């Protein structure tokens, strides 16, 4: 499937066939897409929790209660659910880990290039921490890049997906001890194969026209 067809075919699944599982080799491609997603200054400020068992999905579904109960079935009936988490801050440990990985991957031609990369990335962190005072929001934006990458990839792999912000973040963070790890849950992504109850699959896609969406100069 070409990328434009995947984008046009993609829809937000509203109901899943609880009996169908995504093959592991297909899910591995989704994991690779997430890991290879773009991020500002290669910050990679994310962690992904994959619930691929009924027990795991039930733990995630604890956060879909009360006013969020409408999302419980989309979690429990899906094949896999991914909790996309964002780092709360860019600490030295993470910055150093990034730099070491880039060195192992051959990103630097010499020590000066390594030092330049480190200085540039830390400069952006300082800018958002002390200038805009929005470092957490900046990091969250990078996680949404990963979400978009995964959703388009899922459509290309012919699996259905549902992004969900409708859950109790405090419950989910406590369930997985995320804050103690310097993380916070941000958005969920259910993956699987939609059922006959997925009314959204049959509806036409609706987008504003090119004239309304673009300005060409």
């Amino acid at each position: 499937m070409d990328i434009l067809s995947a984008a046009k075919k993609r829809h937000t699944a509203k109901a899943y066939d609880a009996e169908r599982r995504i093959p592991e080799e297909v899910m591995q491609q989704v994991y690779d897409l997430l890991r290879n997603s773009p991020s500002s200054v290669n910050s990679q400020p994310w962690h992904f929790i994959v619930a691929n068992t009924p027990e795991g999905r039930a733990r995630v579904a604890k956060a879909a209660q009360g006013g969020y109960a409408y999302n419980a079935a989309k979690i429990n009936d899906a094949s896999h659910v991914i909790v996309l988490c964002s780092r709360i801050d860019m600490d030295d440990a993470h910055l150093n880990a990034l730099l070491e990985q880039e060195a192992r991957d051959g990103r630097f031609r010499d020590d000066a290039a390594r030092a330049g990369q480190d200085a540039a990335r830390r400069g952006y962190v300082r800018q958002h921490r002390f200038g805009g005072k929005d470092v957490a929001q900046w990091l969250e934006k990078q996680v949404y890049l990963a979400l978009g990458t995964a959703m388009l990839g899922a459509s290309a792999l012919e699996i259905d997906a549902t992004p969900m912000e409708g859950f109790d973040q405090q419950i989910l963070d406590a369930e997985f001890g995320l804050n103690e790890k310097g993380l916070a849950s941000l958005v969920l992504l259910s993956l699987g194969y939609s059922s006959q109850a997925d009314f959204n699959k049959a509806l036409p896609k609706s987008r504003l026209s090119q004239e309304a969406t673009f300005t060409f100069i």
Side-chain angles (χ1 to χ4, degrees), residues 13-18 20-21 49-65 68-83 161-168 171-172 176 187-192:
K14 300 299 184 180
Y16 285 94
D17 183 343
R20 295 188 67 188
R21 294 278 299 169
I49 298 173
V50 180
N52 61 355
T53 65
E55 296 77 15
R57 292 189 294 277
R59 290 183 67 185
V60 176
K62 290 179 182 179
Q65 55 183 278
Y68 303 114
Y70 60 91
N71 275 330
K74 302 186 193 81
I75 296 169
N76 286 314
D77 293 343
S79 173
H80 293 64
V81 179
I82 301 176
V83 182
T162 308
M164 288 174 281
E165 294 179 317
F167 65 94
D168 191 310
I171 291 176
L172 203 57
F176 294 105
V187 61
L188 309 179
L189 183 64
S190 288
L191 298 158

Side-chain angles (χ1 to χ4, degrees), residues 5 23 62 83 85 117-118 121 129 134-135 142 149 171 212:
S5 295
K62 290 179 182 179
V83 182
C85 307
Q117 170 71 349
D118 189 36
R121 185 155 47 222
R129 181 178 291 144
D134 64 343
V135 66
Q142 315 315 313
T149 298
I171 291 176

Side-chain angles (χ1 to χ4, degrees), residues 15-66:
Y16 285 94
D17 183 343
E19 302 302 316
R20 295 188 67 188
R21 294 278 299 169
I22 301 172
E24 186 56 34
E25 61 270 20
V26 175
M27 281 306 304
Q28 189 58 57
Q29 294 181 69
V30 175
Y31 306 148
D32 287 343
L33 283 167
L34 284 166
R35 196 171 62 84
N36 285 283
S37 296
S39 60
S40 178
V41 293
N42 199 28
S43 52
Q44 303 175 61
W46 44 55
H47 187 78
F48 309 111
I49 298 173
V50 180
N52 61 355
T53 65
E55 296 77 15
R57 292 189 294 277
R59 290 183 67 185
V60 176
K62 290 179 182 179
Q65 55 183 278

Side-chain angles (χ1 to χ4, degrees), residues 168-181:
D168 191 310
Q169 182 189 38
Q170 290 186 334
I171 291 176
L172 203 57
D173 287 0
E175 177 67 23
F176 294 105
L178 294 177
N179 296 165
E180 293 78 8
K181 301 171 185 174

Side-chain angles (χ1 to χ4, degrees), residues 118-201:
D118 189 36
R121 185 155 47 222
R122 289 176 183 273
Y124 274 98
V125 173
R126 284 193 299 272
Q127 174 184 322
H128 285 281
R129 181 178 291 144
F130 302 115
K133 297 181 178 62
D134 64 343
V135 66
Q137 292 79 12
W138 174 55
L139 299 179
E140 289 174 356
K141 292 174 183 177
Q142 315 315 313
V143 180
Y144 274 95
L145 293 177
L147 174 67
T149 298
M151 290 171 61
L152 182 57
S155 182
L157 292 167
E158 299 189 343
I159 55 180
D160 297 309
T162 308
M164 288 174 281
E165 294 179 317
F167 65 94
D168 191 310
Q169 182 189 38
Q170 290 186 334
I171 291 176
L172 203 57
D173 287 0
E175 177 67 23
F176 294 105
L178 294 177
N179 296 165
E180 293 78 8
K181 301 171 185 174
L183 299 167
S185 57
L186 185 60
V187 61
L188 309 179
L189 183 64
S190 288
L191 298 158
Y193 300 100
S194 63
S195 69
Q196 293 298 318
D198 180 14
F199 64 87
N200 203 31
K201 190 170 188 174

Side-chain angles (χ1 to χ4, degrees), residues 70-114:
Y70 60 91
N71 275 330
K74 302 186 193 81
I75 296 169
N76 286 314
D77 293 343
S79 173
H80 293 64
V81 179
I82 301 176
V83 182
L84 289 86
C85 307
S86 175
R87 297 190 67 83
I88 297 169
D89 196 3
M90 287 284 282
D91 57 21
D92 281 341
H94 185 66
L95 289 166
N96 291 335
L98 291 170
L99 198 67
E100 290 301 322
Q101 186 63 56
E102 288 167 335
R104 286 192 295 270
D105 291 336
R107 296 278 298 173
F108 309 126
R109 64 182 180 275
D110 53 32
D111 289 344
R114 174 180 173 133

